[in-house]
Amino acid sequence: MPMTDAARIEIVTRGSAVIQNKSGAFATTVRASDKAKGCTRSLTTDWFYRRLDNGERVLRSWMIYSRAHECLYCFCCRLFAKDCEQGASSFINTGFRTWWKLSPKIGDHESSPEHLPCFEKWKDLEIRLNQNATLDALLQQKVKAEISRWTKF
Ligand SMILES: [Zn+2]
């Protein structure tokens, strides 16, 4: 479904944190291959954090767990990717739930050429919306000051 600018702005204003569902509970998947038949895997909260080289843990704000679909989506790619055609990452279209491939798929996605521009567009829009909110607030203050100046006699 094509995303309208208004919907995109509304979703970015609300942010990803409210729909991340990073504390679980997460669905499990049973691997049906011969090698690891019956092997159960699940997503864990740890996957929502990226470990930097200096040991620091950073929240992967782009990662969204859908309780309804029991899979992971990418917040910014869902909002900004030009097309959700075949071949696009499962983080964008069908949802990712192949839990035994969390490594390397999560790392692959967040450094992929399809993800990085979407992440940048998301952060740019967020900054612009925050600036507008600040400008609106400043303008309102100015108008209030102006009104009180003209109503004082
Ligand atoms: Zn992405």
Side-chain angles (χ1 to χ4, degrees), residues 62 74-78 91-92 109 112 114-116 118:
W62 61 267
C74 176
F75 184 75
C76 51
C77 286
R78 293 278 293 180
F91 286 100
I92 304 171
H109 181 72
S112 69
E114 59 187 343
H115 172 78
L116 292 171
C118 294

Side-chain angles (χ1 to χ4, degrees), residues 2-115:
M3 171 80 60
T4 63
D5 281 348
R8 201 176 279 126
I9 286 169
E10 179 64 30
I11 293 167
V12 169
T13 304
R14 290 182 190 191
S16 65
V18 287
I19 52 167
Q20 268 201 298
N21 297 319
K22 64 179 187 292
S23 24
F26 305 114
T28 53
T29 19
V30 180
R31 196 172 176 174
S33 78
D34 287 339
K35 276 190 280 176
K37 207 162 193 165
C39 181
T40 311
R41 292 289 175 87
S42 181
L43 178 69
T44 60
T45 301
D46 269 353
W47 283 104
F48 284 85
Y49 295 88
R50 180 181 185 172
R51 178 87 56 191
L52 301 182
D53 289 341
N54 64 6
E56 198 183 327
R57 276 174 83 208
V58 178
L59 179 68
R60 288 178 159 123
S61 53
W62 61 267
M63 241 170 75
I64 303 295
Y65 179 73
S66 163
R67 288 191 179 129
H69 298 147
E70 300 184 329
C71 58
L72 283 172
Y73 289 105
C74 176
F75 184 75
C76 51
C77 286
R78 293 278 293 180
L79 285 178
F80 296 101
K82 278 195 196 103
D83 46 61
C84 294
E85 290 169 7
Q86 288 178 347
S89 162
S90 57
F91 286 100
I92 304 171
N93 49 33
T94 55
F96 180 84
R97 70 170 84 204
T98 323
W99 304 142
W100 57 90
K101 286 184 184 167
L102 283 162
S103 174
K105 292 289 184 184
I106 286 179
D108 284 355
H109 181 72
E110 73 189 343
S111 57
S112 69
E114 59 187 343
H115 172 78

Side-chain angles (χ1 to χ4, degrees), residues 112-137:
S112 69
E114 59 187 343
H115 172 78
L116 292 171
C118 294
F119 189 82
E120 209 178 305
K121 280 180 192 166
W122 171 25
K123 292 298 151 186
D124 279 353
L125 180 59
E126 219 172 44
I127 289 166
R128 275 189 284 137
L129 291 172
N130 284 335
Q131 281 170 346
N132 282 344
T134 313
L135 286 176
D136 280 351

